Amino acid sequence: MADEKEMELISVLNEQERILDSMLDHQRRIYNCVVSKSWDGLESCVQHVNELGNDFAKVDSFREKIAPVSSSIYFAPSVRDVFLRVKTKLARSKVESQSLGKYVGAAKEFIETVMDECTSQQHSSVYTSTGSMKKNYGQSIVINSVC
């Protein structure tokens, strides 16, 4: 039978698991928002993930006070299953976050390359009617337009 400290730790781990479940759900939504270009939905999901991250940090600091990770209590039969689920979900959340970061980074790099190619063609020098040289910078770039 689990003692009082184990029961308290199990309760905290269950709360962390609940937060991680919600965080994983919102991370999936963030990915879907990025792919579908739903920027309002993206902003809302990012805000929720940030709030959940803050909540998790608070619960985790409380968990650390109850029992540091190096403690053998995590291997007690009553605690081990919940602890392993939390660790697994935490690792999944980290992978989701890293893969989204890589996806956004690759998209950003691609767009920067395209924009550099488009704008570099407009940086040629031209001559004014008085014969002086002037740099020709485009006024604007139109994207997603059919000409």
Side-chain angles (χ1 to χ4, degrees):
M1 179 93 186
D3 67 6
E4 187 177 321
K5 188 174 184 179
E6 286 178 9
M7 294 304 292
E8 187 175 22
L9 182 59
I10 289 169
S11 174
V12 170
L13 289 171
N14 281 329
E15 178 62 14
Q16 284 185 318
E17 184 177 24
R18 183 197 64 75
I19 292 170
L20 285 170
D21 285 338
S22 185
M23 190 176 288
L24 285 165
D25 179 55
H26 279 85
Q27 284 175 321
R28 274 185 235 103
R29 290 181 190 178
I30 286 173
Y31 175 78
N32 291 334
C33 287
V34 168
V35 170
S36 67
K37 299 176 187 165
S38 171
W39 308 126
D40 292 333
L42 176 64
E43 187 176 341
S44 172
C45 286
V46 167
Q47 183 179 3
H48 280 97
V49 167
N50 285 337
E51 291 169 3
L52 290 167
N54 291 336
D55 293 346
F56 187 87
K58 289 175 190 171
V59 174
D60 196 51
S61 67
F62 183 68
R63 181 208 44 82
E64 188 67 28
K65 289 177 187 172
I66 295 170
V69 175
S70 60
S71 176
S72 62
I73 194 170
Y74 292 98
F75 300 105
S78 60
V79 176
R80 182 178 51 236
D81 290 341
V82 180
F83 179 63
L84 291 176
R85 283 196 316 264
V86 168
K87 277 185 67 171
T88 301
K89 289 179 182 181
L90 191 57
R92 277 183 49 208
S93 177
K94 183 178 178 181
V95 168
E96 288 273 343
S97 182
Q98 288 173 339
S99 63
L100 181 64
K102 287 180 182 178
Y103 176 82
V104 169
K108 179 182 176 220
E109 186 178 321
F110 171 74
I111 290 170
E112 285 176 348
T113 303
V114 169
M115 294 301 292
D116 286 345
E117 284 295 316
C118 290
T119 58
S120 67
Q121 295 172 6
Q122 297 179 5
H123 292 324
S124 58
S125 298
V126 295
Y127 291 94
T128 65
S129 59
T130 60
S132 60
M133 189 184 288
K134 170 179 128 176
K135 292 282 186 185
N136 183 26
Y137 294 105
Q139 297 296 317
S140 63
I141 297 175
V142 177
I143 300 175
N144 276 348
S145 177
V146 177
C147 297

